Amino acid sequence: MKPWVIGNWKQNPKSIKVAQALISDLLRTDNRSLLSQCQMMVIPSTVHLAKVADTIANLEPNLSHGDSATLIVKAAVADNPLLRLGGQDISALSAQVGAYTGDCSAAQLKDCGAAWVLIGHSERRQYYNEEEKVLQKKLQNALSEQLGVIFCVGETETQYESGDTLAVITKQLEVLTSSLPNELSQDLANRIIVAYEPVWAIGTGKVPTVEEVSTTHLAIKDLLTGFNSQITDPIVIYGGSVNADNAAQFAQAKGVDGALVGGASLKADKFLAIAQAFVK
Ligand code: 13P
């Protein structure tokens, strides 16, 4: 499996121009060989998504151009082999449209060119109290629109220190296992990524040891394969203070299929250096 290298831009950058410049840097001709060796994705702010999709479409010669082909371009962007697009959040209330001020639905995200969505990120859990029921609805809405899901799990520092990491993650994963259909197609199984992101490692510069990450990832894989025999090769990626200097150690760790990168994905050279560490 080609490694997944995913940039969660969070509430960055400040302007669409900067977001577009970042895409142009990533898609420079001399980076394309690297991009083709991994499964790279960027997850911009929802308000930047459509413009970022258009920027990718304009830079990617294999895609169709022109107003009349907008939908085709967007669909193609969704499955662009060089650079995939994801969204940071979707409405729990409707997968389509509705009177839900401030929300953005799975269908709208897809229409803007996203093929994936983050669900269960610890910042959503922490600042918006997103818990089991809401996450379950988001997951169902994502799947009903055929969006791939990057489902985030991770323990707090206190839970880590008291040795509760696996218990916490097992509970968090119940959202996933309880929402997935019993008859899981291979296509659907391929569209589920679990991101292990210890809360205490996000944006702090602190990281678990490679052995700890490996153990946790292998345990997550066991849980998922045990849940459903159709999930034969679950994708589990690591997130939390991944940077160009420490990426290689995670890349070599057993059970690590890629990285979910926050801060270091906002500079093309740093993000590409992480990708390089993963393709080696
Ligand atoms: P940092 O890489 O900035 O620690 O963020 C990780 C993260 O939360 C990605 O989703």
Side-chain angles (χ1 to χ4, degrees), residues 221-264:
K221 282 174 187 267
D222 274 355
L223 275 166
L224 293 174
T225 47
F227 158 71
N228 193 312
S229 59
Q230 273 135 314
I231 309 181
T232 49
D233 196 8
I235 308 163
V236 185
I237 62 176
Y238 171 76
S241 294
V242 176
N243 58 41
D245 297 327
N246 65 17
Q249 66 181 50
F250 293 117
Q252 283 151 23
K254 207 158 179 255
V256 178
D257 301 316
L260 179 54
V261 186

Side-chain angles (χ1 to χ4, degrees), residues 6-10 43 118 121-123 152 195 197-198 201-206 238-243 259-265 274:
I6 305 178
N8 173 12
W9 291 358
K10 308 191 180 184
I43 308 186
L118 281 174
H121 194 282
S122 67
E123 285 151 13
C152 304
E197 298 205 298
I202 295 177
T204 59
K206 294 195 273 187
Y238 171 76
S241 294
V242 176
N243 58 41
L260 179 54
V261 186
S265 69
I274 292 169

Side-chain angles (χ1 to χ4, degrees), residues 25-280:
D25 286 345
L26 290 174
L27 281 175
R28 270 176 32 185
T29 316
D30 50 346
N31 296 329
R32 290 182 179 211
S33 154
L34 171 60
L35 263 52
S36 67
Q37 294 170 67
C38 62
Q39 310 197 64
M40 188 176 267
M41 187 191 308
V42 292
I43 308 186
S45 151
T46 308
V47 288
H48 291 168
L49 202 54
K51 284 270 191 192
V52 165
D54 287 344
T55 308
I56 295 173
N58 287 330
L59 290 168
E60 173 53 60
N62 296 329
L63 301 178
S64 358
H65 295 271
D67 287 346
S68 61
T70 303
L71 279 176
I72 298 164
V73 168
K74 297 236 163 105
V77 169
D79 272 330
N80 183 305
L82 286 183
L83 190 56
R84 290 149 191 81
L85 261 188
Q88 295 182 14
D89 187 34
I90 46 166
S91 172
L93 298 170
S94 168
Q96 296 289 327
V97 291
Y100 306 115
T101 302
D103 268 11
C104 171
S105 73
Q108 289 172 323
L109 218 61
K110 196 164 95 174
D111 183 55
C112 285
W116 293 82
V117 64
L118 281 174
I119 292 181
H121 194 282
S122 67
E123 285 151 13
R124 301 292 312 174
R125 294 179 194 262
Q126 182 184 352
Y127 301 126
Y128 296 94
N129 297 319
E130 289 191 0
E131 284 169 13
E132 204 168 326
K133 281 202 168 64
V134 164
L135 296 178
Q136 248 159 6
K137 286 187 184 146
K138 290 190 175 194
L139 193 65
Q140 280 154 8
N141 287 345
L143 297 180
S144 74
E145 288 300 311
Q146 294 83 42
L147 287 178
V149 168
I150 302 154
F151 189 75
C152 304
V153 295
E155 80 288 0
T156 62
E157 189 151 33
T158 316
Q159 291 164 335
Y160 169 75
E161 277 164 0
S162 48
D164 290 334
T165 299
L166 272 185
V168 170
I169 289 173
T170 304
K171 181 90 192 97
Q172 290 171 335
L173 282 175
E174 279 174 15
V175 168
L176 198 59
T177 52
S178 66
S179 299
L180 292 178
N182 289 337
E183 291 299 313
L184 198 64
S185 67
Q186 196 53 51
D187 181 51
L188 181 53
N190 291 342
R191 289 191 153 252
I192 306 284
I193 295 177
V194 171
Y196 169 52
E197 298 205 298
V199 180
W200 54 273
I202 295 177
T204 59
K206 294 195 273 187
V207 290
T209 66
V210 173
E211 291 72 29
E212 286 171 323
V213 171
S214 218
T215 305
T216 305
H217 280 220
L218 294 173
I220 293 172
K221 282 174 187 267
D222 274 355
L223 275 166
L224 293 174
T225 47
F227 158 71
N228 193 312
S229 59
Q230 273 135 314
I231 309 181
T232 49
D233 196 8
I235 308 163
V236 185
I237 62 176
Y238 171 76
S241 294
V242 176
N243 58 41
D245 297 327
N246 65 17
Q249 66 181 50
F250 293 117
Q252 283 151 23
K254 207 158 179 255
V256 178
D257 301 316
L260 179 54
V261 186
S265 69
L266 295 168
K267 291 271 183 284
D269 57 341
K270 295 209 163 77
F271 193 41
L272 290 162
I274 292 169
Q276 187 69 61
F278 272 87
V279 302
K280 270 197 178 140

